[in-house]
């Protein structure tokens, strides 16, 4: 018996196909109202394919990789991953993967095609971190096609690789080189953005605590234990479709770090001032809430909980991360530090600790790195102070008796 049959009912046509029995009773998929026999057969074939693929019409020999990526985002990513992660995936898929690989049929994708894509990105100057992210998306989507959707026999991305460090890219890497902010520069920056300005606390949280941008703007007062002198980094905040959404820190790097006396003093002052401002503004004070989807809200909503944020203005309104763009422009052009960016404060934090003898393991914890090698290779820059420490050690080493005769 054919998988899909059609028959004429009056002036119209209908299709019919066998479905799985339910409680021992025969089930059929059927729909009528088609003008021609061909229309009914075409619609029936599509419905039968959707039925066999759990409601999704995906035939590997026909579906494009672009359409499959859309299906993967809806069927897997948006149900299993955070909104922030999904937004990042969608941006990379839209800007990089679809323009190059999207037109290929899913069944036509090969290791060679994917390898060519990665190599071209590498030679176009994209950083290794960017390539790791792109390969992860491609590999993850095709793994879903193999194991869950049953559309491919094997994953063609498995044996694709990122070009070796030994391969010189044709275009210099787009990776931003981080710089160290000197003590004199920091003094100038903090003088321009003193206590009470919107950027003061976020800058200090990066400079004295090593927080990332999204982490610095996502600190709640409940994260700070003044008695234990600790800050618990529990979340970051990011824009998702123009909404501010809280999510776990990057790479799952939740951590608890110790606070120095000056940082505790500034935070204590800010907490006191916020309490006084709330009394002063009374019913006009802005209260912030975290919705059920972890989005930031400024009014109560079903399932939302009130939150107490560290970075707020005098009237309680939230200071958004985009404030940093304005601060950076001032630092670049008015203060004359064009090499500055917010992430440089985090680099500076690590380097200051290293050159003053802090243990690498503690620096790793403060920055939230899973791999200590990342801490040492990326965040700890060689400075004259470090060189002086090494020379001092060498100067104290004993000299062999016959060395003076050499």
């Amino acid at each position: 018996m054919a998988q899909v049959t059609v028959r004429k009912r009056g002036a119209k046509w209908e299709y019919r196909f066998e479905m799985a029995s339910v409680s021992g009773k025969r089930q059929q998929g059927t729909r009528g109202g088609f003008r021609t026999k061909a229309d009914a057969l075409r619609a029936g074939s599509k419905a039968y394919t959707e039925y066999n693929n759990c409601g999704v019409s995906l035939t590997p020999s026909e579906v494009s990789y672009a359409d499959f990526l859309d299906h993967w985002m809806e069927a897997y990513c948006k149900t299993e991953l955070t909104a922030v992660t999904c937004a990042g995936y969608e941006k990379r898929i839209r800007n990089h993967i679809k323009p190059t690989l999207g037109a290929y049929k899913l069944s036509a994708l090969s290791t060679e095609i994917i390898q060519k894509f990665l190599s071209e990105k590498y030679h176009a100057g994209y950083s290794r971190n960017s390539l790791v992210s792109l390969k992860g998306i491609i590999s993850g989507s095709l793994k879903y096609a193999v194991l869950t959707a049953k559309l491919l026999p094997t994953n063609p991305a498995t044996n694709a690789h990122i070009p070796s460090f030994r391969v010189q890219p044709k275009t210099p890497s787009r990776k931003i080189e981080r710089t160290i902010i000197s003590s004199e520069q920091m003094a100038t920056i903090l003088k321009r953005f003193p206590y009470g300005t919107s950027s003061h606390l976020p800058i200090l949280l990066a400079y004295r605590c090593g927080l990332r941008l999204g982490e610095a703007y996502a600190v709640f007062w409940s994260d700070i234990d003044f008695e234990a002198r600790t800050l618990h980094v529990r979340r970051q905040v990011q824009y998702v479709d123009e909404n501010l959404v809280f999510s776990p820190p990057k790479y799952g790097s939740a951590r608890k770090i110790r606070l120095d006396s000056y940082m505790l003093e500034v935070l204590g002052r800010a907490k006191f001032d916020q309490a006084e401002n709330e009394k002063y503004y009374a019913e006009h004070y802005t209260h912030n809430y975290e919705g059920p989807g972890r989005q930031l809200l400024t009014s109560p909503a079903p399932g939302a909980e009130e939150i107490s944020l560290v970075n707020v203005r005098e009237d309680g309104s939230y200071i958004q991360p985009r404030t940093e763009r304005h601060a950076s422009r001032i630092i670049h052009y008015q203060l004359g530090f064009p090499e500055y960016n917010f992430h440089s404060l985090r680099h500076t934090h690590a380097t200051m600790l290293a050159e003053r003898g802090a243990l690498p393991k503690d620096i790793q914890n403060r920055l939230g790195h899973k791999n200590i090698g990342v801490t040492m290779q990326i965040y700890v820059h060689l400075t004259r102070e470090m060189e002086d420490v090494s020379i001092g050690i060498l100067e104290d080493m004993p000299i062999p008796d016959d060395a003076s005769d050499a």
Side-chain angles (χ1 to χ4, degrees):
M1 180 179 176
Q3 292 176 335
V4 179
T5 60
V6 296
R7 67 176 180 174
K8 195 169 186 180
R9 299 289 300 270
K12 300 293 184 179
W13 289 82
E14 73 173 16
Y15 67 74
R16 186 181 301 271
F17 59 84
E18 292 291 329
M19 299 172 65
S21 297
V22 177
S23 300
K25 296 181 179 180
R26 183 182 177 188
Q27 304 291 316
Q28 289 187 328
T30 181
R31 182 185 171 193
F34 296 97
R35 187 176 60 85
T36 66
K37 179 180 179 179
D39 288 343
L41 185 60
R42 188 181 305 111
S45 298
K46 180 180 179 182
Y48 183 73
T49 301
E50 292 176 349
Y51 168 70
N52 283 326
N53 288 284
C54 299
V56 181
S57 180
L58 293 176
T59 303
S61 61
E62 298 176 2
V63 68
S64 68
Y65 184 43
D67 286 347
F68 175 75
L69 284 169
D70 292 340
H71 165 65
W72 176 64
M73 285 298 305
E74 292 295 327
Y76 173 75
C77 297
K78 291 185 178 180
T79 61
E80 301 292 333
L81 306 176
T82 67
V84 171
T85 299
C86 288
Y89 280 15
E90 289 176 330
K91 182 177 179 180
R92 290 176 177 85
I93 289 171
R94 180 177 63 254
N95 293 339
H96 300 287
I97 298 175
K98 278 188 176 181
T100 304
L101 302 178
Y104 283 97
K105 291 181 179 179
L106 180 63
S107 60
L109 280 177
S110 65
T111 301
E112 182 180 10
I113 291 170
I114 296 169
Q115 185 62 63
K116 181 183 178 183
F117 167 78
L118 294 173
S119 296
E120 288 177 348
K121 289 293 182 182
Y122 179 74
H123 286 294
Y126 288 90
S127 70
R128 298 187 70 84
N129 284 344
S130 296
L131 296 179
V132 167
S133 179
L134 291 172
K135 183 179 184 295
I137 293 171
I138 295 169
S139 182
S141 65
L142 295 178
K143 180 180 179 181
Y144 181 88
V146 173
L147 299 179
T148 306
K150 307 296 184 183
L151 295 173
L152 294 176
T154 59
N155 186 343
T158 300
N159 293 321
H161 63 274
I162 296 170
S164 168
F165 284 103
R166 296 187 296 271
V167 178
Q168 187 68 28
K170 296 177 182 178
T171 302
S173 174
R174 300 175 181 220
K175 179 181 177 182
I176 299 174
E177 292 298 327
R178 307 299 180 188
T179 188
I180 300 300
I181 308 300
S182 70
S183 298
E184 293 76 17
Q185 288 175 322
M186 275 309 304
T188 302
I189 291 171
L190 291 174
K191 184 177 180 180
R192 176 59 181 79
F193 297 99
Y195 177 84
T197 56
S198 299
S199 298
H200 185 78
L201 282 177
I203 287 174
L204 283 185
L205 286 168
Y207 181 63
R208 302 191 77 93
C209 303
L211 270 59
R212 301 178 178 95
L213 176 66
E215 295 170 346
Y217 282 85
V219 180
F220 295 1
W221 284 116
S222 57
D223 299 327
I224 301 169
D225 187 330
F226 285 93
E227 185 175 346
R229 302 168 65 92
T230 59
L231 165 60
H232 197 165
V233 184
R234 305 174 193 263
R235 70 193 69 77
Q236 63 176 334
V237 64
Q238 290 181 294
Y239 291 96
V240 179
D241 298 328
E242 295 303 309
N243 296 314
L244 285 161
V245 177
F246 297 110
S247 65
K250 193 175 182 181
Y251 309 128
S253 56
R255 58 204 184 273
K256 187 177 289 186
I257 63 174
R258 295 277 300 275
L259 297 172
D260 64 273
S261 298
Y262 179 74
M263 195 72 225
L264 282 166
E265 178 185 345
V266 174
L267 289 170
R269 180 182 175 186
K271 186 172 174 51
F272 175 83
D273 289 346
Q274 281 189 28
E276 292 298 303
N277 289 334
E278 185 174 358
K279 293 178 186 176
Y280 177 78
Y281 279 87
E283 69 272 16
H284 301 294
Y285 191 79
T286 300
H287 294 267
N288 296 290
Y289 303 83
E290 184 177 359
R294 303 205 67 181
Q295 70 275 31
L296 178 66
L297 305 173
T298 55
S299 60
E305 295 184 1
E306 186 170 357
I307 55 177
S308 184
L309 288 154
V310 169
N311 291 299
V312 297
R313 294 183 174 82
E314 187 179 277
D315 63 355
S317 59
Y318 177 57
I319 299 172
Q320 299 189 17
R322 285 176 177 163
T323 304
E324 172 54 27
R325 297 179 184 176
H326 173 68
S328 292
R329 283 196 293 271
I330 291 175
I331 294 171
H332 292 166
Y333 301 111
Q334 292 186 15
L335 303 186
F337 304 147
E339 70 280 6
Y340 168 90
N341 58 60
F342 192 87
H343 211 73
S344 295
L345 299 171
R346 180 170 153 88
H347 284 255
T348 304
H349 177 76
T351 303
M352 287 191 308
L353 291 175
E355 68 185 18
R356 287 163 175 78
L359 296 177
K361 194 66 180 176
D362 187 56
I363 300 175
Q364 177 191 2
N365 175 66
R366 294 183 71 86
L367 297 176
H369 287 149
K370 299 299 182 184
N371 185 346
I372 196 169
V374 175
T375 307
M376 303 310 295
Q377 292 176 16
I378 299 179
Y379 285 91
V380 178
H381 298 249
L382 181 65
T383 67
R384 185 55 183 259
E385 287 79 1
M386 292 180 186
E387 293 176 341
D388 290 342
V389 170
S390 298
I391 291 298
I393 293 171
L394 292 172
E395 294 288 3
D396 291 336
M397 291 177 63
I399 300 175
D401 292 338
D402 58 349
S404 59
D405 299 330

